[in-house]
Amino acid sequence: DAKTTQPPSMDCAEGRAANLPCNHSTISGNEYVYWYRQIHSQGPQYIIHGLKNNETNEMASLIITEDRKSSTLILPHATLRDTAVYYCIVRVENGNQFYFGTGTSLTVIP
Amino acid sequence: NAGVTQTPKFQVLKTGQSMTLQCAQDMNHNSMYWYRQDPGMGLRLIYYSASEGTTDKGEVPNGYNVSRLNKREFSLRLESAAPSQTSVYFCAAASAGGPYEQYFGPGTRLTVT
């Protein structure tokens, strides 16, 4: 599976959009991009995933570049409860292994 | 539904002792996983079970054994604990198809002295 690169930390003002980038320049055509987050020391929580098209759900939006070498997770109106470590992961379809990396620690500032 | 449960929540072992971490899920998912997370690090896959009766090694399997007892339960055993195995252990479950969302348990915090 391709590996990902994320900035180690980011800050975002409460109420503003948080844009978290991820580089996956070696991604293959059958690999999906997944985003998870881990709040404090709890188990990670699924946020969203996508293959080629942009995706949106009740939690976030996922923007994938046309060449699929990078993506951005967007939290449209960040709240203090969004403070967490965000992991960008690529996974082969029907593959069983996730490589979490070290993620981006997002701090939402009041 | 409880989702994914893990026992115990905390454990302290002496070097050389053995123990089994228990994980159970009530979501009827086929796949189950064991991860470890060291301080300041992401999760690393130890073992996984794609279906009842099968298990496979992940990224860091040395020093561990697993048993997929039935569809609900997936246990992780440390035969001879070492200080390097001090970590937080997470169990997860996922369906075989669909979005492949992994559901995680609350974790077991293990310290080996």
Side-chain angles (χ1 to χ4, degrees):
Chain A
D1 290 343
K3 297 299 189 288
T4 62
T5 304
Q6 300 176 253
S9 63
M10 294 181 62
D11 292 338
C12 177
E14 187 178 17
R16 303 297 294 268
N19 296 281
L20 291 88
C22 179
N23 181 287
H24 31 79
S25 58
T26 60
I27 194 169
S28 300
N30 63 345
E31 288 184 312
Y32 287 73
V33 179
Y34 282 75
W35 283 84
Y36 279 72
R37 73 180 183 184
Q38 187 174 26
I39 296 174
H40 195 42
S41 52
Q42 299 175 19
Q45 174 191 23
Y46 167 84
I47 301 173
I48 198 167
H49 78 288
L51 182 62
K52 296 180 182 178
N53 300 320
N54 298 338
E55 302 287 345
T56 296
N57 63 20
E58 64 277 5
M59 289 182 68
S61 295
L62 174 60
I63 308 298
I64 303 174
T65 58
E66 192 169 344
D67 63 6
R68 302 187 69 240
K69 293 183 184 298
S70 65
S71 61
T72 301
L73 178 75
I74 300 172
L75 308 178
H77 305 287
T79 70
L80 299 178
R81 287 179 294 181
D82 292 322
T83 292
V85 178
Y86 288 77
Y87 296 99
C88 169
I89 304 157
V90 294
R91 170 187 166 261
V92 174
E93 186 177 15
N94 297 322
N96 277 298
Q97 301 208 25
F98 272 28
Y99 293 95
F100 274 81
T102 53
T104 295
S105 179
L106 174 70
T107 301
V108 179
I109 302 169
Chain B
N1 289 347
V4 179
T5 58
Q6 293 183 236
T7 56
K9 286 186 170 54
F10 301 93
Q11 183 71 49
V12 178
L13 291 178
K14 295 187 187 305
T15 297
Q17 287 185 318
S18 62
M19 80 161 294
T20 299
L21 281 64
Q22 306 286 355
C23 174
Q25 54 107 356
D26 62 4
M27 297 175 291
N28 202 36
H29 286 336
N30 288 321
S31 302
M32 297 185 73
Y33 308 81
W34 277 105
Y35 292 88
R36 61 175 287 174
Q37 185 173 33
D38 300 331
M41 304 290 287
L43 280 73
R44 291 184 292 169
L45 183 65
I46 306 171
Y47 270 94
Y48 66 95
S49 170
S51 61
E52 185 179 351
T54 68
T55 60
D56 285 286
K57 295 179 180 179
E59 188 182 356
V60 289
N62 291 344
Y64 305 94
N65 287 303
V66 290
S67 295
R68 183 73 182 269
L69 304 170
N70 47 55
K71 192 170 186 179
R72 289 188 64 250
E73 299 171 291
F74 189 37
S75 63
L76 178 72
R77 183 160 179 85
L78 288 71
E79 290 292 350
S80 179
S84 60
Q85 294 178 305
T86 292
S87 191
V88 181
Y89 291 84
F90 289 101
C91 176
S95 59
Y100 202 74
E101 177 179 349
Q102 289 196 10
Y103 296 87
F104 284 82
T108 293
R109 284 148 184 78
L110 175 66
T111 301
V112 183
T113 61

